[in-house]
Amino acid sequence: MHAFAKAVVLAAGLALAASSAHAVDPFFPTFGNNGIDVRNYDLDLDVAMPSSRLTAKATLDIRALEDITTFRLDLTGLTVSEVLIDGVPAVFNQRNESKLTIRPRVAIPKGKSFKAVISYAGAPKPIQDPTVPDDPSYQLGWFTYDGATYALSEPVGASTFYPSNDEPTDKATFNRIAITVPAGYTAVANGLLKSTTPLGAKTRFVWSMDEPMTTWLATVHINRFDVKVTATTTGKPLRFYSTAATPAADVASYAKSRSMIAYFETLVGPYPFDSYGSVVVDDPALYYALETQGMSTFPLGAADEGIVAHELAHQWFGNSVSVAAWADLWLAEGFATYFEVLWPNRRSPAAFDAAMRRMYDYAVDAQLGPAVVDRPEDIFSDRTYVRGALALYALQLKVGTETFFRIARTWQETYRGRNANSRQFILTAVDVSGDRTVSTLLSDWLFKAPVPPLPGGQPSAARRLGPAPKPDLVGLRCGRGSHRGAPAVCAGAAAN
Ligand SMILES: [Zn+2]
């Protein structure tokens, strides 16, 4: 317990240092804007269906991180009609097609908080995914299909539907996401459903995410949904949205979230948000699930408990504790992949070991590089998912299962609602375990090219059978939690 208390003190100091370091991410330098810290987004979206044309007002609470004469927000493909700064009209332009540049009537001194109200409209369109710059079939942001709409933005698609500071270290609450749609449609977003108000020919749904969220995790879904409402074992609302096309097996898998949350809480601490749920996208072009905060998104026909466990684990790892840079995405995907393997093997440590060792064999055969990546094209690669999960497994073998989960819990307690990086994870692991050699072990897994040996590792029992096949994991089957790979292949795999 002594080491535990010390870890909190040590890491709390680091967290303070990290929280002030808002920075445009080097992988996506044209997104995000220095000089501002958005504290809260209040979004008021009126969406015409089926066109999904948007008439909107965004109210941003912003703190100036430097003296401001002009500042910029990310906004793409939508036309701004008015900007008010603390109630006073401001000069603005959209000459840069992905930026809204605002000049307040009076300069804003460093440290001052102010309110920006932005009125805008247009027909939102997705943008090119910069992690696959050469393939126009990979897009991000707001999608419209067959009379329905959804928004999935990892890593930089938020600007397709709201003005944002679109970089991972500027987390903010979204205390009101109001979506007004024609009567008969249901609108789903992040967090708690606060109200549903009939307005004649329209209905307004108001959602609220009171815990800090990165911009890319904000989501909107509009469709003719059915909803099943239940609660976690601690009484938090669980809402599962499906459509007429959703197979019953999918709905049954999503309902497993209840027992998964209870199980994960015993390992890594309390579920970090006020509610959870899932929402299904019918669009056959969608081939991956995404951990949209407090309301995970799934493609149709992905009735797999592993996918459900993966996206749920992200609520702790990636969403509540966010990466400080995209290069460190293993801190999210490595944990999610680890829990994806753990959930189906939770009653058999031997089966879990066998699965992880088989994954290890694959990493060796594929000569997977270090978990921390150095270019945007690799953030959704096997390095992030597989070598990330194996780094955690190696740590578990080194320090023991009880200490391993104490490290994971301390990580959650220390950085809840914040960003953190690989170095801070290593410090937490060393401090909680009291074992300095853990630093070398993790550094080898995270930063060095050769796949390190597993502590005390023997070749897996299956090794003699020959080369290890690619493991059947969400993150690998279609890439990202499942992102990469040919969409057609992934759609087929998801339907199995
Ligand atoms: Zn994932």
Side-chain angles (χ1 to χ4, degrees):
M1 294 313 288
H2 171 70
F4 182 83
K6 194 171 117 222
V8 171
V9 172
L10 169 69
L14 293 165
L16 287 176
S19 66
S20 60
H22 289 277
V24 169
D25 194 275
F27 281 9
F28 307 112
T30 61
F31 295 87
N33 306 278
N34 291 323
I36 56 168
D37 171 15
V38 180
R39 312 306 295 271
N40 183 65
Y41 292 88
D42 176 325
L43 305 180
D44 209 326
L45 313 176
D46 190 312
V47 188
M49 297 299 291
S51 69
S52 98
R53 194 182 160 78
L54 192 60
T55 307
K57 189 166 80 172
T59 302
L60 280 58
D61 295 321
I62 302 174
R63 189 165 58 95
L65 299 179
E66 58 192 40
D67 292 338
I68 288 178
T69 52
T70 65
F71 68 100
R72 302 205 296 182
L73 295 166
D74 299 289
L75 186 68
T76 307
L78 298 164
T79 303
V80 174
S81 56
E82 183 182 60
V83 177
L84 302 176
I85 301 295
D86 287 336
V88 179
V91 178
F92 63 90
N93 74 68
Q94 295 181 277
R95 284 195 286 273
N96 179 328
E97 63 183 22
S98 63
K99 298 286 183 183
L100 170 62
T101 302
I102 299 170
R103 178 183 291 273
R105 195 64 62 83
V106 290
I108 298 167
K110 178 180 178 179
K112 186 173 188 293
S113 293
F114 61 98
K115 205 176 273 292
V117 180
I118 296 143
S119 299
Y120 62 102
K125 288 183 190 61
I127 57 172
Q128 177 66 37
D129 180 344
T131 68
V132 197
D134 301 331
D135 187 342
S137 70
Y138 288 88
Q139 303 216 307
L140 302 173
W142 182 284
F143 296 86
T144 303
Y145 73 99
D146 194 23
T149 285
Y150 61 99
L152 295 177
S153 300
E154 188 182 23
V156 285
S159 67
T160 61
F161 68 103
Y162 68 101
S164 54
N165 190 28
D166 199 10
E167 50 98 344
T169 58
D170 193 358
K171 299 181 73 165
T173 53
F174 286 65
N175 70 2
R176 183 168 171 274
I177 306 174
I179 308 162
T180 306
V181 293
Y185 284 91
T186 298
V188 178
N190 308 85
L192 272 178
L193 176 61
K194 302 289 262 196
S195 65
T196 304
T197 309
L199 303 167
K202 296 182 178 182
T203 309
R204 175 174 297 148
F205 296 82
V206 177
W207 294 79
S208 179
M209 174 46 71
D210 288 340
E211 293 287 326
M213 178 163 78
T214 54
T215 44
W216 63 267
L217 286 164
T219 194
V220 170
H221 294 259
I222 302 168
N223 203 343
R224 298 182 188 278
F225 288 115
D226 298 319
V227 63
K228 182 170 182 284
V229 183
T230 167
T232 68
T233 54
T234 59
K236 294 179 177 181
L238 285 169
R239 309 179 71 88
F240 304 113
Y241 289 90
S242 57
T243 63
T246 311
D250 285 26
V251 179
S253 279
Y254 305 139
K256 294 277 172 58
S257 302
R258 183 176 194 271
S259 47
M260 286 181 195
I261 288 173
Y263 175 63
F264 289 175
E265 284 186 328
T266 67
L267 299 176
V268 298
Y271 174 74
F273 306 119
D274 292 335
S275 61
Y276 187 61
S278 64
V279 56
V280 169
V281 172
D282 281 348
D283 186 355
L286 181 67
Y287 52 93
Y288 62 87
L290 193 67
E291 62 267 29
T292 36
Q293 188 159 314
M295 178 63 69
S296 291
T297 301
F298 294 92
L300 202 59
D304 182 319
E305 286 186 33
I307 297 179
V308 176
H310 181 112
E311 308 309 338
L312 176 61
H314 272 310
Q315 306 303 319
W316 285 263
F317 299 97
N319 293 7
S320 180
V321 180
S322 300
V323 299
W326 284 109
D328 284 326
L329 191 61
W330 80 272
L331 284 165
E333 299 300 351
F335 270 108
T337 302
Y338 178 96
F339 284 103
E340 179 186 338
V341 176
L342 180 60
W343 170 257
N345 295 302
R346 64 195 177 283
R347 296 191 183 93
S348 170
F352 175 75
D353 276 329
M356 294 305 285
R357 285 175 190 278
R358 208 61 187 138
M359 197 195 296
Y360 178 79
D361 293 343
Y362 166 71
V364 171
D365 289 351
Q367 297 181 27
L368 293 185
V372 175
V373 298
D374 31 35
R375 54 181 205 137
E377 291 85 346
D378 289 333
I379 65 175
F380 301 120
S381 71
D382 291 356
R383 288 171 55 181
T384 301
Y385 288 78
V386 174
R387 222 169 123 163
L390 287 169
L392 296 169
Y393 180 57
L395 177 62
Q396 180 181 5
L397 292 176
K398 171 92 171 156
V399 302
T401 297
E402 192 271 334
T403 302
F404 171 73
F405 284 111
R406 203 145 45 83
I407 292 168
R409 279 199 301 280
T410 303
W411 180 246
Q412 284 295 313
E413 288 162 3
T414 307
Y415 293 104
R416 178 175 179 159
R418 300 170 183 269
N419 300 83
N421 64 29
S422 294
R423 290 283 173 206
Q424 289 162 323
F425 184 78
I426 293 172
L427 286 172
T428 301
V430 167
D431 204 55
V432 174
S433 67
D435 180 351
R436 295 204 168 275
T437 65
V438 159
S439 175
T440 308
L441 173 125
L442 285 173
S443 295
D444 287 350
W445 276 96
L446 302 181
F447 302 114
K448 295 190 180 160
V451 180
L454 285 173
Q458 303 295 320
S460 79
R463 195 55 167 150
R464 71 182 89 91
L465 300 177
K470 200 164 170 114
D472 184 27
L473 291 166
V474 179
L476 299 176
R477 196 174 311 150
C478 310
R480 143 182 353 198
S482 353
H483 180 73
R484 290 294 154 247
V489 171
C490 290
N496 288 336

